[in-house]
Amino acid sequence: MPWQVRHPRVREAVNTLRAACARHGVPFCAMATTEERRREWRADGVTAFVLGQDRDLFSRALRAHRETAAG
């Protein structure tokens, strides 16, 4: 299920991995591209995050710049 990060099976697999890391004292770094998802992960005890891929960060910055420039 490539790129289907919201698919229930993918979420279940990631949560299983997160729980295994916690049981074994292994740091877990979550991919969280929205503030809502970061809050969810933080509530679950996650403290390290990948904030998005370069193209996602660039895309958001460009949209914000266009909105500001458009007034």
Side-chain angles (χ1 to χ4, degrees):
M1 289 166 238
W3 304 109
Q4 295 183 38
V5 297
R6 291 184 179 94
H7 190 284
R9 289 179 62 192
V10 173
R11 284 193 166 211
E12 180 182 342
V14 172
N15 288 331
T16 298
L17 178 62
R18 160 73 177 106
C21 288
R23 280 194 312 277
H24 297 283
V26 175
F28 177 83
C29 185
M31 168 84 72
T33 57
T34 67
E35 185 58 36
E36 176 186 3
R37 196 65 181 124
R38 280 189 289 279
R39 281 193 298 270
E40 292 170 2
W41 280 120
R42 284 185 205 271
D44 196 32
V46 174
T47 59
F49 298 91
V50 174
L51 297 178
Q53 297 177 5
D54 292 346
R55 69 175 183 248
D56 294 334
L57 296 172
F58 176 77
S59 177
R60 278 186 265 157
L62 180 59
R63 275 194 301 271
H65 175 72
R66 288 177 51 201
E67 289 172 9
T68 300

